Amino acid sequence: MSNSAIQIDVQDRVARVTLNRPDSFNAVGGEMHKALSRVFVDLGERRDLSAIVLTGAGRAFCAGGDIEWMREAIREPEGFEVVTWEAKRIVYSMLDCEIPIIGRINGDAVGLGATLALLCDITVMDEKARIGDPHVRVGLNAADGGGFLWPAIIGYGKARELLLTGDLLGAAEAKALGAIGHVVPAAELDAKVDAIVAKLRGGATKAIRWTKAGYTIPLRQLAHGHMDAGTAYECLTNLTQDHAEAVEAFAAKRKPVFSGR
């Protein structure tokens, strides 16, 4: 099940899924995106697991979309149709997976990285990490799940501001808003995750699984009501001049100049 972009290790009834592009802060490219659209389907079928731990290799959890991958989508927009299909599968499969998913947020969780974190059932975050959805800063709408997850989890009041500005939250503020469950120093990250996993591994597996199946019903309904329209809008923003400008500005390490086109 593992590939070079994602590593999966299963031991003692726990599957550890590691985003494995540490040199690029686990930015999501085509290979990783495709793998993410399948991994929780494959793991969700298993009856021998009590928990899944999702984390990132190196210093970041996930930095969002890879810049070269974005350039490719601009050059060949028809290929972006596959990306949006995969985006829906990622969201649906994490919500459909009855096995509890623990997010070990070892560094910044940005864009799709933030969506992955919010889709986890329990999250433990490095106190120095940040989280947020800056899709608008690269000229895209927040279509990979953030558009419905942020309002559902922290409420519309603050979520609207975060989605419209693309601002990132520090770990403490994210916890205070309810976006993240636990914030600890980096040295305590593994101990906290292990303690949570131990509770789940020692619990009544079927009761835990079906409790998740129940409380995710409203989120699954929201997801299916949002993702088709959201990804369609993302296909449109992929074609805009502002998105192309943002991608080139990011690559050149300069501030983008948006024209509203």
Side-chain angles (χ1 to χ4, degrees):
M1 195 185 301
S2 297
N3 62 30
S4 59
I6 292 181
Q7 295 295 318
I8 297 99
D9 177 59
V10 179
Q11 293 184 31
D12 198 15
R13 299 182 59 81
V14 178
R16 187 181 183 91
V17 178
T18 303
L19 309 179
N20 192 38
R21 298 187 68 209
D23 292 343
S24 60
F25 302 106
N26 300 315
V28 179
E31 182 184 9
M32 183 184 289
H33 201 257
K34 181 177 181 179
L36 282 168
S37 73
R38 288 158 172 75
V39 63
F40 294 101
V41 176
D42 294 338
L43 291 175
E45 293 176 348
R46 298 182 60 153
R47 312 310 297 172
D48 61 336
L49 295 177
S50 297
I52 298 168
V53 176
L54 176 63
T55 192
R59 294 183 292 154
F61 177 71
C62 176
D66 179 82
I67 199 70
E68 290 303 322
W69 187 47
M70 291 185 193
R71 276 177 162 167
E72 182 181 338
I74 292 170
R75 290 193 300 266
E76 299 180 23
E78 286 188 4
F80 201 64
E81 295 172 16
V82 176
V83 174
T84 56
W85 185 90
E86 290 173 351
K88 289 186 281 188
R89 302 283 85 71
I90 293 170
V91 171
Y92 299 157
S93 65
M94 289 186 73
L95 292 173
D96 287 340
C97 178
E98 294 177 352
I99 304 163
I101 303 170
I102 295 92
R104 179 185 177 275
I105 315 301
N106 57 301
D108 286 357
V110 180
L112 178 55
T115 296
L116 294 173
L118 294 181
L119 285 167
C120 292
D121 300 285
I122 303 172
T123 43
V124 184
M125 190 172 189
D126 180 342
E127 64 182 2
K128 294 183 179 178
R130 300 171 300 165
I131 185 170
D133 194 329
H135 270 77
V136 293
R137 293 190 180 185
V138 291
L140 292 173
N141 69 305
D144 61 20
F148 77 90
L149 281 167
W150 282 98
I153 291 171
I154 71 169
Y156 275 93
K158 187 65 175 179
R160 290 178 294 191
E161 178 183 343
L162 293 173
L163 290 169
L164 292 174
T165 62
D167 289 345
L168 303 183
L169 297 171
E173 187 177 3
K175 182 178 184 296
L177 289 169
I180 294 295
H182 304 272
V183 173
V184 298
E188 299 175 18
L189 199 60
D190 286 328
K192 186 64 177 178
V193 170
D194 290 347
I196 294 168
V197 167
K199 287 184 180 180
L200 296 171
R201 191 164 43 213
T205 301
K206 290 185 178 181
I208 291 170
R209 282 175 174 243
W210 294 336
T211 293
K212 176 177 177 178
Y215 71 63
T216 53
I217 289 171
L219 281 175
R220 284 184 276 154
Q221 291 172 332
L222 281 173
H224 283 276
H226 170 87
M227 291 299 294
D228 282 332
T231 54
Y233 280 125
E234 189 166 22
C235 285
L236 290 175
T237 51
N238 181 60
L239 301 175
T240 63
Q241 292 180 24
D242 277 347
H243 174 53
E245 160 63 11
V247 168
E248 293 309 313
F250 185 88
K253 298 181 179 180
R254 62 172 174 83
K255 186 175 180 179
V257 179
F258 292 129
S259 64
R261 300 176 66 186

